[in-house]
Amino acid sequence: MRRFTVAALTAATLGTVLSAAPAQAHHGRPGPGPENCTANACHFDVPAGTYDVTVRLGGDSAASTRITGETRRALLPETATAAGEPVFRSFTVDVRTPEGEPTGPDGTPGLDLVIGGSAPAPADIRVTPAHRARQILLVGDSTVCDQPGDPYSGWGQQLPQYLRKGLSVANHADSGESTVSYLADSRLWATVQPRIRRGDLVLIQLAHNDKQTDEATYRANLETLVAGVREKGGRPVLVTPIVRRWFNADGTLNNNTALLVNGLGVDHPAVVRSVAAAHDVPLIDLTAKTKALVESLGPEASKALYLYNEKRDNTHTSVHGATVYAGLVRDELVAQGLVPAGRTRVG
């Protein structure tokens, strides 16, 4: 895994803060702790699996700390602490190989965390196996995946910070994939399906790369994914694709480019909605939600959601945009009763 330096925190400072916290037993036995941390990063030599991470934040001065991990996943949002008033926070994280995109490099074995924030103050950290965690597996493309480097970010990469302990996000989205390629590549669906456990949610958002997929094939592929999730006892959730930031002169996104209608005239969001209705699958209409948001911001302010300023890219999202879109997904999961309410605010 790449080491990402996100905070100017000295080794001496972090070492002093973390070593000041006594090692406390967790459920009768201490888990790996701050002895695994250096200046602004922690590495835990644990096997693949799902882990609960509990942190104590705060110190003598007011502070603000956030935590990312593995391939730039947002695990704990910026959390403010008042002077002398430490707080405890917990989250659950998926550790696997490859640790990022399924067709990408393996990364470093174990769990890697990065301590950041405007004034980070970690006081203690503990990692323990999560025995009863529920998975949210993600099947998607580059707008969803764990992007390996700035300025890119997928909404699935930002989703974990919105969720409470006991819910892990296993992001198996991969750049450039269509419904056709996701089903065909043994590193993708054939690897993901066996990992689905009874009661897990599997969010499916594939459309951006189905540019030459005819409607019958696109529909059949979505139905294959839905049936495959149910075969393992999981619960599929269909997600319509995020819009492209492609404005008409009147300030609307009512065009094929923005609304993911491909060159064959296949209206991807409409097909997703139809499959969801026909097979009684929960639907997150992210096309409608992102369309409303982008139009409300207008041509100028909406640039910040995408990579227009950096790359003239109106398809892929910035960290800010991915965070906002992940919030839309999380709100809909809660509204439909698919996950319990947990963290309600990021930032």
Side-chain angles (χ1 to χ4, degrees), residues 41-122:
C42 303
H43 175 77
F44 300 92
D45 188 16
V46 295
T50 308
Y51 294 88
D52 290 332
V53 179
T54 299
V55 295
R56 182 161 68 94
L57 306 174
D60 294 336
S61 303
S64 187
T65 309
R66 62 182 169 86
I67 299 176
T68 58
E70 298 294 87
T71 304
R72 302 176 61 237
R73 298 181 214 159
L75 300 172
L76 184 72
E78 190 99 7
T79 301
T81 49
E85 297 181 14
V87 300
F88 288 86
R89 294 289 185 270
S90 298
F91 54 86
T92 301
V93 61
D94 172 61
V95 176
R96 64 180 185 275
T97 302
E99 67 182 23
E101 295 180 87
T103 62
D106 284 353
T108 301
L111 171 60
D112 288 276
L113 302 175
V114 176
I115 311 298
S118 58

Side-chain angles (χ1 to χ4, degrees), residues 1-334:
M1 175 186 157
R2 299 175 180 84
R3 292 281 186 172
F4 294 92
T5 302
V6 296
L9 186 63
T10 67
T13 299
L14 184 61
T16 300
V17 173
L18 287 174
S19 63
Q24 298 294 328
H26 186 94
H27 298 300
R29 184 177 181 182
E35 68 277 5
N36 296 278
C37 299
T38 58
N40 60 350
C42 303
H43 175 77
F44 300 92
D45 188 16
V46 295
T50 308
Y51 294 88
D52 290 332
V53 179
T54 299
V55 295
R56 182 161 68 94
L57 306 174
D60 294 336
S61 303
S64 187
T65 309
R66 62 182 169 86
I67 299 176
T68 58
E70 298 294 87
T71 304
R72 302 176 61 237
R73 298 181 214 159
L75 300 172
L76 184 72
E78 190 99 7
T79 301
T81 49
E85 297 181 14
V87 300
F88 288 86
R89 294 289 185 270
S90 298
F91 54 86
T92 301
V93 61
D94 172 61
V95 176
R96 64 180 185 275
T97 302
E99 67 182 23
E101 295 180 87
T103 62
D106 284 353
T108 301
L111 171 60
D112 288 276
L113 302 175
V114 176
I115 311 298
S118 58
D124 192 21
I125 186 167
R126 296 291 156 184
V127 175
T128 55
H131 298 294
R132 291 181 293 277
R134 184 186 185 194
Q135 293 185 113
I136 301 177
L137 296 100
L138 305 182
V139 169
D141 53 36
S142 58
T143 66
V144 184
C145 75
D146 287 351
Q147 290 280 0
D150 282 328
Y152 294 89
S153 182
W155 61 254
Q157 199 165 20
Q158 302 299 323
L159 184 61
Q161 66 188 309
Y162 284 100
L163 302 174
R164 61 190 286 180
K165 176 184 173 184
L167 286 170
S168 74
V169 175
N171 191 351
H172 294 276
D174 196 70
S175 293
E177 306 301 341
S178 65
T179 58
V180 176
S181 64
Y182 204 94
L183 286 167
D185 193 324
S186 62
R187 296 169 294 180
L188 300 171
W189 183 238
T191 297
V192 174
Q193 191 192 21
R195 297 182 179 182
I196 300 170
R197 304 186 300 246
R198 183 165 300 278
D200 287 343
L201 293 177
V202 183
L203 276 57
I204 302 165
Q205 186 216 278
L206 287 165
H208 279 86
N209 300 300
D210 280 279
K211 298 173 183 177
Q212 297 301 319
T213 309
D214 63 77
E215 183 169 339
T217 301
Y218 184 63
R219 180 182 297 273
N221 288 343
L222 291 176
E223 290 172 337
T224 296
L225 291 166
V226 166
V229 173
R230 286 175 166 167
E231 178 185 326
K232 302 297 290 185
R235 187 167 189 185
V237 179
L238 288 173
V239 183
T240 60
I242 68 170
V243 294
R244 295 190 180 99
R245 185 191 159 277
W246 198 269
F247 281 94
N248 297 324
D250 63 359
T252 69
L253 300 179
N254 296 321
N255 60 77
N256 288 353
T257 299
L259 299 181
L260 282 295
V261 178
N262 75 7
L264 302 178
V266 180
D267 185 332
H268 292 105
V271 176
V272 175
R273 296 177 190 119
S274 175
V275 171
H279 295 277
D280 193 26
V281 178
L283 174 73
I284 297 177
D285 198 341
L286 201 52
T287 305
K289 290 182 177 298
T290 55
K291 178 179 185 291
L293 176 59
V294 171
E295 287 181 341
S296 71
L297 291 172
E300 189 59 36
S302 64
K303 290 177 180 177
L305 296 172
Y306 292 82
L307 295 174
Y308 180 85
N309 294 324
E310 299 87 349
K311 302 284 186 178
R312 295 296 188 267
D313 186 335
N314 291 306
T315 297
H316 297 97
T317 48
S318 63
V319 171
H320 167 65
T323 302
V324 172
Y325 287 178
L328 297 177
V329 173
R330 184 247 178 216
D331 289 348
E332 194 62 23
L333 290 172
V334 172

